[in-house]
Amino acid sequence: MSKHAIALSGASLLLSVSLIATQAQTVAPTTPPDPPTFAAQGTPNFVGISDIQEFKALPEYHEPSWVTEKFVDTGKLPPVAERLPKEPLVYKASNMADGIGVYGDVMRHVIGGRPEGWNYSAGQSQGWGGIDIGLSECLTRTGPLFEVKADELAPMPNLAMSWDWSEDGHELTMHLIEGAKWSDGEPFTSDDVMFYWNDEVLDPNVTPLNGATPETFGEGTTLEALDDYTIKWTFKDVRPEQYLYQMAYGTFCPGPAHLLRPQHPKYSDNTYEQFKNAFPPEYMSMPTMGAWAPVTYRPDDIIVLRRNPYYWKVDDQGNQLPYLDELEYRLSTWADRDVQAVAGTGDFSNLEQAESYVEALKRSADPSAPARLAFGARTIGYTLYPNLSANGWGEPDERGQAVRELNRNLDFRQAVTSAVDRQSLGEALVKGPFTAIYPGGLYAGTTYYDKDSTVYYPFSLETAKEHLKAAGLEDTDGNGFVNFPAGTAGGGDVEITLLANSDYATDKNLVEGVVAQMERLGLRVIPNTLAGTQRDATEQSGKFDWTIRRNQSELITVVKNTVALAPTGPRISWHHRAGSDDTLDLLPWEQEMVDVVNKFIATNDSEERIGLMKQYQKLYTENVNGIGLTQYPGALIINKRFANIPAGTPIFMFNWAEDNIIRERVFVPKDKQSDFELFPQTLPGVPGTGNGPVS
Ligand code: GLA
């Protein structure tokens, strides 16, 4: 102790001692601990995109014999060669794990969601679990990129067969698949693309399901059709190749304009609500570009899809895909999906609710188990996001507005993050080496993650309380919860609503944990746990103080949905959107994040990109943009009778496994085929000639 300190008077000495005592218990930010070792099972066979697929006319084409006999020979359908495009998308057998497949059988999915209707591009959910992934096709595709070599990483051509950049890099001309048809036989053309762009993305009254906005493709970007099969993008930036990833699922998957246009308010007397609801779940002749189309719906029971006779993809022997004649979606719960897949009464699950890992592992270890189970990397993660808008998004009341102001206070966010005991949150889900401490931002173990750029506020209730005090919050009425300052929201307890999804046990467990941990800090948190669809709509409309999200691809891959890494447009971020005056009230560090993300999009220099993502991670975690909760691996469970499941398929990366496994190439060898098909030898119905299944 210095002489100077000794000279202090008694009172101030006491004061400084107590300050030091408190500080001794506070903890400084550091880097996060390394996640426990957990080896992913199976690694992909890395290839180039051209090893997987190409567009090419083949000398002959084939289809299931029953389609020829029952539909072509009777004049109900044109021959397969006439139903296919000029140059179909061809999957190369050399990239298929088990080679060319055979027709027949069904994949029985189980899902926890419920369909709102078939108007996907106007914002209706079909209940998730891969059902919309199988119905919609998009300009590009990203799911299978998990097996593409890093130096050849680029979105895969899909409805857009090829593209070229203008000399100056501002224009991108895309060539659409020529002569492909919707499942009702109507041609797919640039008219479908332009209807989606002009009347859905650009129309502020329509919100496509996965939230495409004009800025999703860059501010000031325009799109025009040059002819039936050519479209042209014009960008402000030079060669922003990043946007090609956003043209994949789920932000650029056009719906059938020939059905949608007559219902759209611009071309009819419908309201926007009527337009959105024009194709209810009972509507059984919805044309798709996907490999299967819906033929049956029974509420809370099942949706059945049958093969699309106009599907525009083939294998390199000319066999029209898909190999599987049917897809089923049992309408149950997500937990039941795991149980049924393990038991063999269902065929597929993304094992992602950590609570059921131990049981599922135990049962799948038996060599006679009907399904195989393989864990991947830690790509499932949850974050608690504070609503950062203070200029009216979601129209908060006085209390809500006061919480928004707190959310925008760094000390407050530091208090919250320091009060989260991530170790016990993770252990409450599952014991063992699964869960990892996740401070927020990019995930440990992914390409752009940098530990040294990650600021971790370790669990310390003392530190958290100091920060809360610094944010001006005290428990003035001694009931254990801090109060708003007198004059704000009546000086009552600070009450914070926490939006979450009730469809998943994991989400509910995390809510419970967070509520209890915040109570120890002195914050009263009130769960608002809603069924998935309602939760998503509530979040979209900004009606929340805090929200718990299972994170999406941007925090894993960076290149998929890059724009969503920061509030780069008025309606792009999950937790900070434009207020009533249509402006974003960004905090300085948020603006810096936006600038960094925009720089990332504008450059193709990989060194520069790595540096930018280090800056991003630092900005995100130091400023606590979101409060990371936990990060853990998921496992793909798939019945052993299926072939052509690519090695090392992650349940989630650029997309979900339902896309990653390329279901249209999956098949069941003849000797393993089941008799599970509900509507054998039938096809989807088409508008005008009735509902499916049609025989
Ligand atoms: C839900 C499920 C995921 C996956 C996706 C596909 O979100 O929880 O495992 O099936 O649907 O959209």
Side-chain angles (χ1 to χ4, degrees), residues 109-113 127-133 210 249 334 337 348-353 380 501 504 550 651-652 655-659:
H109 291 268
V110 176
I111 61 175
W128 306 110
I131 182 161
D132 54 327
I133 294 174
N210 278 288
Y249 178 85
W334 296 112
R337 176 171 73 168
F348 175 102
S349 188
N350 296 324
L351 188 70
E352 60 194 359
Q353 300 192 68
I380 304 295
N501 193 327
Y504 298 89
R550 189 178 64 190
I651 69 159
F652 189 55
N655 199 354
W656 289 98
E658 292 91 333
D659 190 24

Side-chain angles (χ1 to χ4, degrees), residues 499-544:
L499 180 63
N501 193 327
S502 62
D503 293 351
Y504 298 89
T506 308
D507 301 52
K508 289 193 281 191
N509 280 336
L510 289 172
V511 167
E512 244 175 62
V514 165
V515 168
Q517 296 186 357
M518 290 304 121
E519 187 172 331
R520 266 181 275 159
L521 171 65
L523 277 181
R524 190 197 291 276
V525 176
I526 300 157
N528 181 23
T529 314
L530 305 173
T533 317
Q534 229 185 321
R535 187 217 85 97
D536 293 349
T538 307
E539 193 184 75
Q540 287 259 347
S541 65
K543 297 204 177 301
F544 65 92

Side-chain angles (χ1 to χ4, degrees), residues 36-78:
T37 312
F38 186 87
Q41 295 158 355
T43 32
N45 301 317
F46 289 102
V47 293
I49 291 171
S50 59
D51 297 321
I52 303 176
Q53 64 176 50
E54 65 185 322
F55 289 85
K56 185 166 123 183
L58 296 175
E60 52 182 276
Y61 297 105
H62 314 282
E63 63 184 344
S65 53
W66 60 266
V67 178
T68 321
E69 286 154 23
K70 291 180 68 180
F71 292 86
V72 179
D73 294 351
T74 57
K76 289 182 191 152
L77 276 182

Side-chain angles (χ1 to χ4, degrees), residues 385-409:
Y385 290 101
N387 190 328
L388 292 176
S389 158
N391 66 348
W393 181 40
E395 298 162 356
D397 57 12
E398 194 194 342
R399 180 209 57 81
Q401 183 63 25
V403 173
R404 303 284 181 95
E405 305 290 349
L406 284 175
N407 287 343
R408 290 166 68 87
N409 178 315

